[in-house]
Amino acid sequence: MKEKMKEKILSAIDKNSKLTAKDLAAMLGSSKEEVAAIIKELEEETIICGYPTLINWDKTESEKVTALIEVKVTPQRGQGFDKIAERIYKFDEVETVYLMSGGFDLTVIIEGKSMREVANFVSSKLAPMEAVLSTATHFVLKKYKEHGLPLVHETSDERMLITP
Amino acid sequence: MRNPLSKTVVDIQPSGIRKFFDIVSDMKNAISLGVGEPDFDTPWHIREEGIYSLERGRTFYTSNAGLKDLKIQICNYLKRRLELHYNPALEIVVTIGGSEAIDIALRAMLDIGDEVLIPQPSYVSYLPCVTLAGGKPVIIELKAKDQFRLTKEELLDAVTDKTKVLILPFPNNPTGAIMEYDDLADIVKIVEEKDIFVISDEIYSELTYGTKHVSIAEFPGMKERTILINGFSKSYAMTGWRLGYAAGPENIIEQMIKIHQFAIMCAPTTSQYAAIEALKNGDSDVEMMRDAYDQRRRFLVHALREMGLDCFEPYGAFYVFPCIKSLGMTSDEFATALLKEEKVAVVPGTAFGDCGEGFLRISYAYSIENLKVALERMERFVKKHKGQPPVH
């Protein structure tokens, strides 16, 4: 029962973290207190790891460059890929790190102010690491959709105001 | 010059919704909770299939009753969801929305003077369609105390020797009421005893909350006397595609196809191809939308009750039907004042029959954010007119 409520809360706030405990309680047929307690628990279990905002930076004045880097590494004895992944994700520039199956090992997504900053990071920080065998850097040209939400403005409600 | 108009048509009352629509359209920045269609776009894989059919040049008429593949998929669906077995070649007609199916079912079954029982509050087109088919509409007024379900007593009171058809509009627009197995069992007995036929408008069948939809056609002996009407508008968010269907006994469907053939020819070809995809691969879309509606439904009922409005819990469609009698206004007065003072549009219950007086239809085919803003405004309005201190 509680597990089910956890699932329901998570799917509801997955796309909209602005929903309050009161809203969620009404939507899911629970009490404000129960929802608040479950959310607290989910935060403590680090199932909920944060509440970032999805921003389309392209529409702002600020300059940002995103790059996706394919990284091949040598796994370390006893540690597998975790140790090297950690060494990489600890850099502030790094947004995302995934362990991959297939042609390379790690996907590293980094964000910088300029191409030069990204290039600098790759050549001076990432590539020289002992476990890193090779890198291939791809710059993102335009973002269309993130976290299941389109970044391009979709059309507004085109329905007539009153229909039977 | 002679009067060019038909007296029958002129005498038909225009829809009460129309009047309200005209007022709302003139108002800037109005928030509407007045629509009777989903806010979701048609799922992309369904739209894409429609586009593909156009690319392939599938732009011709289909056979009158509809594409064979679509009819097979419809039968598979009815078997999968309701355990009903229809013959795709003889017992299905694909129509332009559920609306056309209602119209041609009535026209196929009625002679002049035949009585048709119409439970109200209900969808606006049953009554005029009966009149246009030469039948005599007989209204059954449903009650809030019965959660707007049809009871056997009400049905018995309305039946006469001339009663031929009962329209069964559940899950219901505008009340959100449903008929469960036991409710239907009571009705079935009377329908059989009095030898009545049923037009069961199940367009909202996929939108029930907490309990699975039951069709009256599932009862033994009822498939032979039921025209089951459904479509793609509500379950797959495909209102603009204009596609529905009727399933029923061969002798009735055959005559319906005749009318359909002369009046319509066939349902839109592009829509039919898209609908095949919807039935084949759309179950998860339906589930996603149902879950979203369910959350909004709870949210809305909760908020309306917090405002102090009586609101029975609706288990179907995407409407709630709160009672506003405690404010001492008619539905029309309430809706007009709410629009004027707070710019929120809802539909007066009276648009769906006289017995809708004292009620409003509020649609939850809107995002939670949208509902929140509208409900805040509505709460302010209710507080003001009740002259009571804030609840919270």
Side-chain angles (χ1 to χ4, degrees):
Chain A
M1 190 62 210
K2 193 174 165 195
E3 282 307 305
K4 226 174 166 184
M5 189 53 79
K6 274 187 182 177
E7 287 281 333
K8 282 184 181 170
I9 291 173
L10 288 173
S11 356
I13 60 175
D14 182 35
K15 291 282 186 295
N16 184 1
S17 61
K18 278 176 87 178
L19 292 170
T20 64
K22 185 169 178 274
D23 295 340
L24 287 164
M27 288 162 67
L28 306 172
S30 171
S31 71
K32 191 177 145 190
E33 292 71 27
E34 193 199 2
V35 171
I38 290 178
I39 290 181
K40 189 153 174 279
E41 205 178 305
L42 287 164
E43 287 169 350
E44 281 164 6
E45 293 167 345
T46 59
I47 291 172
I48 295 175
C49 303
Y51 300 90
T53 309
L54 186 57
I55 298 170
N56 187 354
W57 286 104
D58 291 352
K59 283 189 166 177
T60 69
E61 299 285 309
S62 75
E63 295 286 326
K64 270 188 193 279
V65 181
T66 309
L68 185 149
I69 310 165
E70 298 173 2
V71 186
K72 284 185 186 163
V73 298
T74 332
Q76 283 154 310
R77 185 163 185 174
Q79 317 260 0
F81 291 97
D82 295 352
K83 193 78 190 166
I84 178 70
E86 187 185 340
R87 287 197 63 183
I88 294 173
Y89 74 61
K90 282 200 162 158
F91 285 102
D92 287 341
E93 297 91 328
V94 174
E95 280 289 313
T96 305
V97 178
Y98 300 134
L99 177 62
M100 310 298 293
S101 68
F104 58 97
D105 304 308
L106 297 172
T107 292
V108 176
I109 297 174
I110 81 162
E111 233 170 47
K113 286 196 183 68
S114 62
M115 273 171 80
R116 175 180 297 210
E117 196 181 286
V118 172
N120 216 356
F121 173 79
V122 176
S123 60
S124 68
K125 301 278 174 24
L126 189 59
M129 280 184 195
E130 208 174 323
V132 171
L133 299 173
S134 73
T135 64
T137 305
H138 310 272
F139 285 98
V140 173
L141 301 181
K142 183 174 179 181
K143 293 180 183 174
Y144 293 100
K145 190 178 183 183
E146 267 192 16
H147 204 83
L149 299 167
L151 296 175
V152 194
H153 188 63
E154 298 274 280
T155 49
S156 52
D157 195 342
E158 289 182 12
R159 294 176 293 173
M160 293 190 296
L161 289 168
I162 302 271
T163 53
Chain B
M1 193 164 58
R2 287 198 294 165
N3 181 352
L5 301 174
S6 140
K7 190 170 177 318
T8 316
V9 174
V10 171
D11 284 348
I12 289 175
Q13 291 297 310
S15 158
I17 284 181
R18 188 71 226 174
K19 183 189 126 196
F20 218 70
F21 175 76
D22 292 339
I23 308 175
V24 179
S25 308
D26 291 340
M27 190 154 288
K28 285 198 180 75
N29 307 323
I31 300 184
S32 176
L33 299 182
V35 306
E37 60 180 323
D39 57 320
F40 298 99
D41 291 331
T42 307
W44 176 247
H45 66 104
I46 299 173
R47 281 189 273 165
E48 206 265 342
E49 199 61 36
I51 295 166
Y52 180 63
S53 81
L54 287 172
E55 282 176 352
R56 289 272 305 263
R58 288 167 168 167
T59 55
F60 303 101
Y61 295 129
T62 69
S63 67
N64 297 130
L67 286 169
K68 189 178 162 205
D69 263 3
L70 176 56
K71 290 189 289 177
I72 291 171
Q73 286 302 328
I74 289 170
C75 291
N76 289 345
Y77 169 86
L78 292 170
K79 195 165 80 188
R80 183 167 85 231
R81 299 291 290 164
L82 298 169
E83 306 249 351
L84 281 168
H85 299 262
Y86 287 98
N87 179 341
L90 302 169
E91 296 178 319
I92 302 286
V93 53
V94 178
T95 56
I96 302 193
S99 319
E100 192 219 342
I102 294 162
D103 182 36
I104 61 174
L106 287 164
R107 286 203 269 163
M109 291 160 86
L110 297 183
D111 282 313
I112 289 177
D114 283 343
E115 290 182 359
V116 178
L117 304 179
I118 306 175
Q120 283 186 343
S122 60
Y123 185 57
V124 295
S125 78
Y126 304 128
L127 200 143
C129 281
V130 169
T131 309
L132 287 169
K136 186 184 162 212
V138 176
I139 307 299
I140 301 178
E141 300 200 334
L142 304 181
K143 314 245 168 11
K145 72 167 172 62
D146 304 317
Q147 301 202 312
F148 292 102
R149 296 177 189 209
L150 174 64
T151 66
K152 60 178 178 211
E153 292 79 17
E154 288 165 333
L155 179 57
L156 270 176
D157 278 353
V159 173
T160 71
D161 295 345
K162 294 196 180 115
T163 305
K164 185 153 189 198
V165 174
L166 163 68
I167 292 179
L168 212 52
F170 296 98
N172 182 276
N173 170 12
T175 64
I178 59 167
M179 293 282 277
E180 291 184 82
Y181 184 89
D182 292 346
D183 306 313
L184 287 171
D186 287 346
I187 304 301
V188 165
K189 271 183 231 150
I190 300 166
V191 164
E192 284 188 317
E193 203 179 292
K194 304 286 181 183
D195 198 10
I196 304 170
F197 298 92
V198 176
I199 295 179
S200 186
D201 183 354
E202 304 180 14
I203 192 78
Y204 291 98
S205 65
E206 285 293 351
L207 302 179
T208 61
Y209 311 103
T211 163
K212 191 175 159 283
H213 171 71
V214 188
S215 171
I216 196 164
E218 290 178 79
F219 286 78
M222 281 307 296
K223 195 179 147 228
E224 291 70 26
R225 49 175 75 244
T226 303
I227 295 291
L228 184 160
I229 290 170
N230 209 330
F232 299 85
S233 297
K234 317 294 177 178
S235 29
Y236 299 97
M238 292 178 72
T239 45
W241 299 77
R242 306 310 305 122
L243 206 68
Y245 57 88
E250 184 188 343
N251 58 341
I252 307 177
I253 293 291
E254 191 187 352
Q255 299 305 317
M256 286 171 68
I257 292 174
K258 196 157 78 184
I259 306 169
H260 175 76
Q261 168 191 344
F262 290 132
I264 305 292
M265 191 78 173
C266 69
T269 305
T270 312
S271 305
Q272 291 192 53
Y273 280 106
I276 294 173
E277 169 66 18
L279 289 172
K280 270 188 181 164
N281 299 314
D283 283 6
S284 61
D285 304 308
V286 174
E287 204 177 313
M288 180 278 290
M289 290 190 263
R290 186 193 302 125
D291 285 351
Y293 289 133
D294 193 16
Q295 293 182 355
R296 301 163 181 187
R297 177 184 73 96
R298 289 211 191 90
F299 185 78
L300 189 51
V301 171
H302 180 83
L304 292 171
R305 285 181 179 161
E306 268 199 338
M307 275 177 223
L309 296 179
D310 263 347
C311 186
F312 89 98
E313 178 137 12
Y315 291 107
F318 39 61
Y319 311 101
V320 291
F321 205 60
C323 176
I324 45 112
K325 287 176 184 164
S326 61
L327 274 92
M329 287 188 246
T330 65
S331 300
D332 223 50
E333 286 164 355
F334 185 104
T336 312
L338 179 65
L339 184 60
K340 231 163 133 190
E341 292 171 28
E342 295 288 350
K343 295 192 171 182
V344 176
V346 296
V347 183
T350 40
F352 306 94
D354 292 340
C355 59
E357 183 56 86
F359 296 88
L360 301 172
R361 187 192 75 173
I362 302 182
S363 163
Y364 48 89
Y366 297 92
S367 69
I368 290 276
E369 284 72 26
N370 202 321
L371 288 177
K372 256 184 173 175
V373 179
L375 285 165
E376 271 165 26
R377 294 188 186 189
M378 203 169 149
E379 187 179 8
R380 195 160 55 201
F381 177 86
V382 170
K383 250 185 244 163
K384 180 175 151 198
H385 289 270
K386 259 193 171 167
Q388 278 176 357
V391 187
H392 52 202

